[in-house]
Amino acid sequence: MPSASSAVSDSGRPVPSSLWRDADFRGLWMGQTASQLGEHVSLVVLPLFAVLTLDAGAGQLGVLRAVGQAPILLLSLFVGAWVDRWRTRTTMVLTDVGRALALGAAAVASLFGWFGLPALLALAFTVGALSVFFDVAYQASLVRLVERDQLVRGNSALEGSRSAAQIGGPALGGALVSLLSAPVAAASSALFFVLSFLSIRRIRRAEPIPGRPENLPRVRQRIHEGLRFVAGDRMLRAVCLASAAFQFSFAAVMTVYLLFLPRELHLSGTVVGLALAAAGPGALLGSLLAARLPSRFGHGPVLVCAAALGDGLFLCVPALHGSSAVTVPALLAVGFVLGCGGQLVNVTVMAVRQAVTPDGMQGRAAATITFVGMGMAPLGSLTGGFLAQEWGLRTSLLVTAAGMMLSPVIMASSPLARLGRELPAPHYAPPTCE
C-alpha cells in the first residue's frame, strides 16, 4: 500500500503504509490500552475498597458487583444511539476525565472519612456507565480512523491490548491495594484514565460523523432503528444470536466450573486462579492469529473452526479425574485453547460487523449486539447454579459445555460461514425516522 504522503483513500483519508505508522491509530491504541487497564484495575480495587476499608459483607459485595455491571444492560442501547451522533474522540476523552475525577474524588473523600458504602455504590455505577460509553465509542472510532482493509489488523491490535489488560489489570489492582492502601490504589487507578485521556487527545485526524437531519429523531426511535437494522440483516442477526447463545452458556459453565475445580478436583485457590488465567495468553495468541488467518483461509471458515475448537475442547473437562499432575496441565491447555479460539472469533466478528454496518449505524449496531449478548449472562449464571444444585457438578458442567456448541452451529448455518478472504461491503440501513 502506498505511503500516507503519496496516497489517499476514496474517502479522502490518508492511507498509511503500515497501521502502526499512523499516529492517530497509535493514539487510539495507547488510549484504549490505558483505559482497559484502568477499568480492570478498578474491578479489583473497588471490591477490595469495600472489604478492607468499609468492612463490607458478602451480600454487600455482591450488590456492589451487580451495580457495577448494571450499566451494560441499562445503558448500552442508549449509548449506541448517542455515539452515532457525536465524535467518538470527544466521547472517549470526556469519559476518561469523568472516571479519573470520580476515582480521585473517592480516594480523597475516603482519606478524610467521608466515604461510605452508598457512595461506593454510586462510584461503581458511575465508572461502569462511563466505561460503557468508552467501549462503544472506541469500537465505532476505529471505523472512522482506518480503511476497510485495515479493520482486522486494527481490531487485532485493540483486542490484543484488551486481553493483556484482562491478564495484568486484576493482578496490578491487587498489588496496588497490598503495597499501598485501598484509597490510594483507587487514586492510582485513576492515573490510567488520565494517560488514556492524554493519548486520545493526540488524535488529530478530522473525524467524519454522519450528517444529522434537520429534525433529529428521538433516542427511542434511533434505538429502534439500530434494533431493526441488526434484526433485519442476516449476517448481523447471526452474530447476535451466536453471541447470545455463547454468553448464556458460558456464564452457566463458569458458575459450575468455579464449583467443580475445588470440590470435584480438589484444587487449591492458587491453582484455580492459574486455570482461569490460562485463557489470557491464549487470547493474546488469538489476537495475533486474527490479523493473518482470515485473509488466508477466509473469514467464515476461521469463525466456525475457531469457535468449534475452542468451545468443543471444553467438553473434555467433565471427564477429568485423578491427581493434579494430570488435571492441571489439561485444564491449562483447555483454558488456553478456549481463550485463543474465543479471541479469534471476537476479533473476526468485530471486523465483519464493522464492515457491513454503515458509518451512521456503527454505535447502535455494536450496542445492540452487546446488549443482547451480555443480557443473557445473568440468566446463564442462574441456570448454571440451578443445574449444579439439581443435577450435580459433572453432569451440569457437561450439559452447559455442550450448550456452548450452539454458537458455532448458528454461525455454520448462517451467511457468516460463507464469508471469503475479503470483508463484505456495507449493507443497506433503514432510513432515519423523521
Side-chain angles (χ1 to χ4, degrees):
M1 185 179 291
S3 65
S5 61
S6 62
V8 294
S9 68
D10 293 339
S11 61
R13 286 180 284 181
V15 181
S17 56
S18 170
L19 198 60
W20 291 107
R21 295 180 186 178
D22 187 340
D24 291 328
F25 175 77
R26 290 199 307 271
L28 175 64
W29 179 82
M30 292 175 62
Q32 184 258 6
T33 301
S35 175
Q36 292 292 329
L37 269 174
E39 184 176 339
H40 285 90
V41 166
S42 67
L43 288 176
V44 172
V45 169
L46 294 185
L48 291 179
F49 194 119
V51 173
L52 300 177
T53 303
L54 304 179
D55 197 27
Q60 293 171 318
L61 188 61
V63 172
L64 175 65
R65 290 178 56 83
V67 168
Q69 296 167 345
I72 298 176
L73 293 176
L74 298 177
L75 301 178
S76 291
L77 295 177
F78 296 94
V79 170
W82 177 280
V83 167
D84 279 337
R85 289 174 50 186
W86 295 93
R87 287 184 171 84
T88 55
R89 175 183 178 275
T90 302
T91 302
M92 290 185 287
V93 164
L94 291 177
T95 56
D96 282 332
V97 171
R99 289 182 290 185
L101 290 176
L103 288 167
V108 173
S110 178
L111 292 175
F112 285 95
W114 301 336
F115 201 76
L117 185 60
L120 184 59
L121 292 173
L123 174 66
F125 185 87
T126 300
V127 172
L130 292 173
S131 295
V132 172
F133 273 90
F134 186 96
D135 291 344
V136 173
Y138 93 74
Q139 294 182 47
S141 178
L142 184 65
V143 183
R144 302 179 189 180
L145 285 179
V146 306
E147 295 302 315
R148 284 168 49 80
D149 61 354
Q150 296 175 321
L151 283 176
V152 173
R153 283 177 289 166
N155 280 309
S156 174
L158 293 175
E159 291 300 300
S161 69
R162 186 168 69 90
S163 299
Q166 288 175 335
I167 299 170
L172 180 58
L176 288 173
V177 173
S178 299
L179 296 175
L180 305 172
S181 65
V184 177
S188 300
S189 63
L191 295 178
F192 289 105
F193 297 119
V194 173
L195 178 59
S196 177
F197 164 78
L198 295 174
S199 299
I200 292 173
R201 280 196 64 198
R202 296 172 53 193
I203 299 175
R204 290 290 178 259
R205 186 174 305 164
E207 180 183 343
I209 58 175
R212 304 179 190 178
E214 184 176 347
N215 297 317
L216 284 173
R218 295 179 179 178
V219 171
R220 186 175 299 177
Q221 292 174 319
R222 295 178 61 80
I223 292 174
H224 175 72
E225 291 170 5
L227 291 169
R228 185 173 58 163
F229 175 70
V230 172
D233 187 285
R234 294 181 61 199
M235 205 169 290
L236 294 181
R237 187 166 65 242
V239 169
C240 214
L241 292 174
S243 175
F246 176 80
Q247 293 295 343
F248 176 87
S249 300
F250 184 69
V253 163
M254 291 308 297
T255 301
V256 182
Y257 192 52
L258 290 172
L259 296 169
F260 179 80
L261 294 181
R263 295 184 181 178
E264 287 288 332
L265 300 184
H266 307 291
L267 300 179
S268 67
T270 301
V271 177
V272 171
L274 286 175
L276 297 175
L284 287 176
L285 177 61
S287 296
L288 297 175
L289 293 176
R292 298 179 178 273
L293 295 186
S295 60
R296 183 173 182 180
F297 299 106
H299 291 76
V302 167
L303 276 175
V304 175
C305 292
L309 178 62
D311 299 347
L313 190 60
F314 208 93
L315 287 168
C316 301
V317 174
L320 292 177
H321 292 82
S323 68
S324 59
V326 176
T327 58
V328 172
L331 290 171
L332 293 176
V334 169
F336 183 88
V337 174
L338 179 66
C340 181
Q343 190 71 334
L344 187 52
V345 171
N346 287 342
V347 174
T348 308
V349 160
M350 190 177 297
V352 171
R353 189 261 301 161
Q354 290 169 339
V356 302
T357 304
D359 286 349
M361 197 66 68
Q362 287 288 341
R364 282 170 286 175
T368 297
I369 293 172
T370 298
F371 172 79
V372 174
M374 295 303 296
M376 298 301 295
L379 295 176
S381 297
L382 292 174
T383 301
F386 173 79
L387 293 178
Q389 183 177 351
E390 296 296 324
W391 293 357
L393 294 178
R394 287 191 184 275
T395 301
S396 56
L397 186 60
L398 179 63
V399 171
T400 54
M404 289 200 299
M405 294 302 295
L406 284 173
S407 179
V409 168
I410 291 172
M411 289 190 287
S413 59
S414 75
L416 291 172
R418 297 189 290 274
L419 289 175
R421 299 179 181 179
E422 300 293 330
L423 286 170
H427 293 178
Y428 169 76
T432 300
C433 300
E434 297 290 345

